[in-house]
Amino acid sequence: MHLATIRLDHSTRAVRRDGDRLVDLGYPDVGAYFAAGTPDERAGASYPLDGADFAPVVPHPSKVICVGHNYQNHIKEMGREMPAYPTLFTKFADTLTGAFDDIEKPAETDALDWEVELVVVIGQEVRRADETQAKAAIAGFTVMNDISVRDWQFRTVEWTQGKIWEASTPVGPYLVTPDEVGGLAPALEVSTTVDGQVMQRDDTGTLLFDPVMLVQYVSTIITLRPGDLIATGTPAGVGHARDPKVYLVGGEEVTAAVEGIGACVNRIVKA
């Protein structure tokens, strides 16, 4: 099943893809649909897929947890040691944007970078999950491009200020349920292209910490609620690790894709 949140005039709606139509689920967004316990669809409208305006899959998650240093090749390119535990940082709802929205390059940086990520979407509340509970809590997966402002990120040893720029992080367009992508620890190709040039390519089977483990780990710290997002990290190929470094300057089309789930396709525009 493919779920999404679309924009309609001044509101949003949770929808399920059915061929070339998007069927209204009766809730304002996918997060609200999961919070209601994924009830049966209410009889209602459907909308054409063609021309749909996709909001972030979950526009207002209670939390967005991101994992750094989770692909071996990326850890090596950044000059880090293999971590014993997940490296976590957070984003805010205001950081998120739609899968096909333009992304404004902040005027304050000349070091804008890309990071494709597989994202876990939580479907039910869970705290201190064991393996069985963690599996049950995963509603599905989506795509994120963790656009990073590298010069601000590395001003200090703590990364947050380089990761939370307004409307900089596309998420979507769809949440895809685990049954359609090979289960809860799928081996899916992830890639980033910039103006058609492949910059990142790996597969999620090489994650150090898989989705189930991450739900267990994060839920030990804090309650995970329906619609919460866990971004599982990015593979090698980021612009900051290249020699010479390569950054987004404005005008590029960046595609962050995960096999079987979809892609965020965004134009970088100058402020």
Side-chain angles (χ1 to χ4, degrees):
M1 185 162 55
H2 285 56
L3 305 179
T5 299
I6 60 171
R7 302 178 180 116
L8 293 174
D9 297 324
H10 301 293
S11 65
T12 59
R13 302 301 296 168
V15 295
R16 173 182 55 81
R17 193 178 76 186
D18 185 3
D20 62 357
R21 304 291 296 178
L22 298 171
V23 179
D24 197 307
L25 296 174
Y27 290 86
D29 59 66
V30 168
Y33 174 68
F34 286 127
T38 61
D40 293 338
E41 295 172 19
R42 303 171 182 173
S46 71
Y47 317 100
L49 174 60
D50 186 32
D53 184 7
F54 287 88
V57 162
V58 182
H60 306 288
S62 77
K63 61 190 71 69
V64 182
I65 306 294
C66 301
V67 182
H69 300 156
N70 203 17
Y71 286 85
Q72 295 185 39
N73 287 336
H74 180 54
I75 295 167
K76 292 174 182 176
E77 76 173 352
M78 298 299 279
R80 311 280 185 171
E81 294 183 359
M82 296 294 166
Y85 303 101
T87 300
L88 304 181
F89 61 93
T90 58
K91 288 180 179 283
F92 306 116
D94 286 347
T95 309
L96 307 182
T97 193
F100 307 121
D101 291 350
D102 288 347
I103 297 172
E104 183 178 283
K105 175 191 172 296
E108 296 84 359
T109 186
D110 290 314
L112 197 66
D113 206 351
W114 55 81
E115 290 192 2
V116 61
E117 307 210 13
L118 174 75
V119 178
V120 178
V121 184
I122 300 299
Q124 58 183 265
E125 184 173 307
V126 66
R127 179 77 200 279
R128 295 191 173 96
D130 60 23
E131 183 176 357
T132 298
Q133 293 167 331
K135 289 178 176 179
I138 297 175
F141 302 100
T142 190
V143 184
M144 172 187 287
N145 191 344
D146 177 20
I147 296 288
S148 299
V149 181
R150 297 296 192 190
D151 44 357
W152 286 67
Q153 177 182 349
F154 295 119
R155 285 183 171 189
T156 69
V157 296
E158 208 287 321
W159 299 346
T160 301
Q161 61 191 320
K163 296 287 190 174
I164 58 169
W165 288 72
E166 185 95 6
S168 65
T169 303
V171 178
Y174 294 104
L175 174 153
V176 179
T177 50
D179 59 294
E180 294 202 15
V181 292
L184 295 170
L188 306 173
E189 182 180 273
V190 293
S191 65
T192 299
T193 61
V194 178
D195 288 338
Q197 180 180 355
V198 176
M199 297 297 191
Q200 293 181 284
R201 179 169 285 159
D202 206 326
D203 77 80
T204 59
T206 68
L207 288 169
L208 287 178
F209 307 110
D210 69 28
V212 175
M213 184 275 178
L214 290 172
V215 172
Q216 290 181 263
Y217 190 83
V218 175
S219 72
T220 301
I221 303 167
I222 193 167
T223 300
L224 290 171
R225 305 187 187 281
D228 283 352
L229 307 177
I230 302 176
T232 60
T234 200
V238 299
H240 184 77
R242 293 172 178 267
D243 186 15
K245 300 181 189 303
V246 178
Y247 297 121
L248 300 167
V249 299
E252 303 94 342
E253 183 178 88
V254 183
T255 300
V258 180
E259 177 188 5
I261 298 175
C264 296
V265 183
N266 307 95
R267 176 71 59 181
I268 308 300
V269 298
K270 294 182 179 181

